[in-house]
Amino acid sequence: MPISGIDASDIVAFAAREGNKMIEAQVNMKAKLFAALDKQPMKGRRSVINVVNGGLASTAQVVDFGALPSEAASVPAQGFVDAVGYVSRLGLGRIALETLSGVDDSADLLDLQLQIAADDMARQIGRAVFGSELAAPTAAGSSVTQAFSGSVVTITANFTGGLSDFREGEAYHFETDLAVGVNTESYLVLCTNVAIVSDNVVQVTFICGPGAVPGFDSGALADALLTATGGTPVASPGPSLAGAVVATDQLFLRGSRKPGDPTTGAVAGGVGNSNASAVSLIDVTSTSAALHGLSAGTNGWTGLTFTGVGAPTPEMFMGKSKLLQGRSGVAPTHLVLSDLASAAYGAAQISNASATVFGVTSNTFGARRNVDGKLDRYGKDADLESGIAMFGRPVVIDSNCPAEEAYMINKDYLKVGEWKKLSAEDEGGSPLLLSRSTYSKEVQFSCIYNLVCRKRNAHARLTGVTIA
């Protein structure tokens, strides 16, 4: 009998009752676009899909008794979508569980742990929709330091637009480029601090080596990273010669890239995407990359990217949406903005709704969209909508969207393939699993998703959105 008077069944009951509800709530709050997209059931490790890939050459004008055009021997284009898994694990010490002061204390501990795990999963999935590669570091404010050989390496770097990318406590792939133009090594680093320098610049601190990512926390790995960034490990007690972060270093979501060796950082066969690399909006809107196994540049299967678009005004977005519609034949159903871009866009709408009459300025807010709890044809529940619109089309504000980018999407042709819904793993009816390696219990969250695009030219990416 546990000291607290509660047993594992109490913990299990709470986890079963609250865990999945908590996950769904976190996804709705932290991954707005992912939550808003329709889910499409998928089967098989690699699912075949039919896509819209151009028109028919047999379409023509005719006159009475004129010859009919030959039938176009067109086979519907088919691509494939790979299943991509996501997982998060949280551990709970068995002594702590058995010695809590009561049910309330136990529930509070598990509630907090479940929230953290659900939040991390939501952020990982939500950011992957926009691409697994994160903001590039800037030269200003960067350093790589180590107290002495074998100790933890501390990396500090500034990132423009990095507010949506990094979260304290999460691990990332850090691929170094020592001024040779080729990233050859990959290190798992732990984010320990995100400080705001200005509205669109953050200074992020990572650590590598002892005390960092479990399984990748050796002093040898820290030494290898310091060397890879131009530093030199030296023996205790003298300080190491510091390295540097360069703008061509790259950071990625954990699991999206092939991992480096836990002690050397070297990647077998060279760095690159892992089999778990998800399809993103960058892939969908690319003008050159293949998508779903189909090459770009043929029969309309080509993405669209507008560069250097400038201020996020209603007129600019309307103009780009008309270009997108003219090219693809369908209008975008949603505009997707980052938090900062949405603030600038909202301010522009308010400004456009102002009127000056007899020297008195009033705000009519005529351009704003009211959300009254009704379902929108192109959205989900009204609480997923932002309350602002692009000339009648809803705007999704997603904190995972890069600050200086925006996306126009058509929900009829962009969905989320779902093999396994995000939920806690279940073992014999219990989401609280017994660890096989340590004296603890754990809860695992997992899901299997990927983006599915059926008409590539129905979506567009806008870069260079100014938010100041």
Side-chain angles (χ1 to χ4, degrees):
M1 185 73 176
I3 296 174
S4 63
I6 62 173
D7 55 31
S9 63
D10 297 305
I11 308 297
V12 168
F14 178 84
R17 184 174 65 252
E18 301 297 331
N20 291 340
K21 289 193 297 183
M22 206 171 290
I23 295 172
E24 184 175 357
Q26 290 293 330
V27 169
N28 287 343
M29 290 188 295
K30 303 294 174 60
K32 293 290 185 69
L33 178 57
F34 177 87
L37 292 175
D38 295 330
K39 308 303 184 287
Q40 176 179 324
M42 307 293 280
K43 295 181 180 180
R45 172 66 180 79
R46 172 171 283 184
S47 295
V48 176
I49 60 170
N50 296 316
V51 302
V52 179
N53 192 21
L56 298 174
S58 57
T59 302
Q61 296 179 359
V62 295
V63 297
D64 283 345
F65 305 105
L68 294 175
S70 299
E71 298 90 343
S74 178
V75 178
Q78 291 185 318
F80 60 81
V81 184
D82 288 328
V84 176
Y86 297 84
V87 66
S88 182
R89 301 172 63 191
L90 65 92
L92 302 167
R94 294 174 67 179
I95 293 176
L97 286 174
E98 297 292 341
T99 57
L100 293 169
S101 60
V103 174
D104 290 341
D105 195 10
S106 173
D108 182 65
L109 172 67
L110 187 56
D111 177 73
L112 180 62
Q113 296 282 14
L114 288 172
Q115 285 189 46
I116 293 172
D119 184 36
D120 284 353
M121 283 290 283
R123 287 288 297 254
Q124 175 87 355
I125 295 170
R127 186 59 182 83
V129 169
F130 295 93
S132 294
E133 183 176 353
L134 307 176
T138 60
S142 70
S143 65
V144 182
T145 58
Q146 183 183 38
F148 51 83
S149 178
S151 68
V152 64
V153 167
T154 301
I155 308 160
T156 302
N158 284 6
F159 297 85
T160 299
L163 188 61
S164 64
D165 293 350
F166 302 106
R167 173 178 164 84
E168 292 94 337
E170 291 189 352
Y172 303 92
H173 292 288
F174 179 68
E175 296 185 0
T176 60
D177 178 9
L178 188 56
V180 295
V182 179
N183 300 76
T184 59
E185 298 174 352
S186 180
Y187 301 85
L188 274 180
V189 296
L190 181 70
C191 175
T192 59
N193 187 54
V194 178
I196 296 178
V197 177
S198 63
D199 285 351
N200 197 32
V201 178
V202 293
Q203 186 173 80
V204 186
T205 302
F206 308 92
I207 61 172
C208 179
V213 183
F216 294 81
D217 51 4
S218 69
L221 184 66
D223 289 348
L225 173 62
L226 187 69
T227 301
T229 56
T232 305
V234 297
S236 178
S240 295
L241 299 179
V245 177
V246 295
T248 45
D249 289 336
Q250 294 175 294
L251 286 109
F252 299 86
L253 294 175
R254 184 176 185 181
S256 65
R257 302 285 283 181
K258 293 188 291 184
D261 184 273
T263 56
T264 66
V267 181
V271 297
N273 291 334
S274 69
N275 290 334
S277 185
V279 172
S280 70
L281 287 177
I282 291 180
D283 301 319
V284 171
T285 57
S286 171
T287 59
S288 58
L291 177 66
H292 297 328
L294 301 173
S295 299
T298 58
N299 296 333
W301 194 250
T302 306
L304 179 63
T305 297
F306 298 107
T307 60
V309 296
T313 63
E315 292 77 15
M316 183 275 287
F317 286 129
M318 174 56 75
K320 301 305 182 187
S321 71
K322 292 303 181 183
L323 289 174
L324 174 62
Q325 181 177 357
R327 179 174 182 263
S328 66
V330 294
T333 61
H334 280 70
L335 173 65
V336 184
L337 298 176
S338 68
D339 294 329
L340 292 176
S342 69
Y345 181 55
Q349 286 199 318
I350 293 173
S351 177
N352 287 348
S354 297
T356 301
V357 182
F358 300 113
V360 178
T361 300
S362 63
N363 288 323
T364 62
F365 298 97
R368 296 181 69 85
R369 173 176 177 264
N370 293 321
V371 176
D372 57 5
K374 295 181 180 179
L375 294 178
D376 184 273
R377 176 190 171 192
Y378 296 110
K380 289 215 172 206
D381 295 327
D383 61 359
L384 291 181
E385 306 296 352
S386 62
I388 59 177
M390 179 186 69
F391 291 92
R393 293 295 189 231
V395 175
V396 176
I397 301 175
D398 195 320
S399 59
N400 299 291
C401 181
E404 297 179 345
E405 294 184 6
Y407 288 87
M408 292 178 179
I409 64 166
N410 187 300
K411 274 191 59 180
D412 297 331
Y413 298 102
L414 185 68
K415 302 182 186 299
V416 173
E418 182 180 74
W419 286 260
K420 178 185 181 297
K421 188 175 181 179
L422 180 57
S423 61
E425 294 285 0
D426 189 290
E427 188 176 78
S430 169
L432 199 64
L433 312 179
L434 183 66
S435 175
R436 301 294 189 263
S437 58
T438 63
Y439 191 65
S440 64
K441 294 186 178 182
E442 66 180 49
V443 177
Q444 292 186 15
F445 294 104
S446 69
C447 61
I448 306 176
Y449 292 117
N450 210 346
L451 279 186
V452 178
C453 175
R454 294 188 179 275
K455 184 176 175 63
R456 194 172 187 181
N457 60 8
H459 321 283
R461 177 189 182 195
L462 292 78
T463 65
V465 177
T466 56
I467 60 175

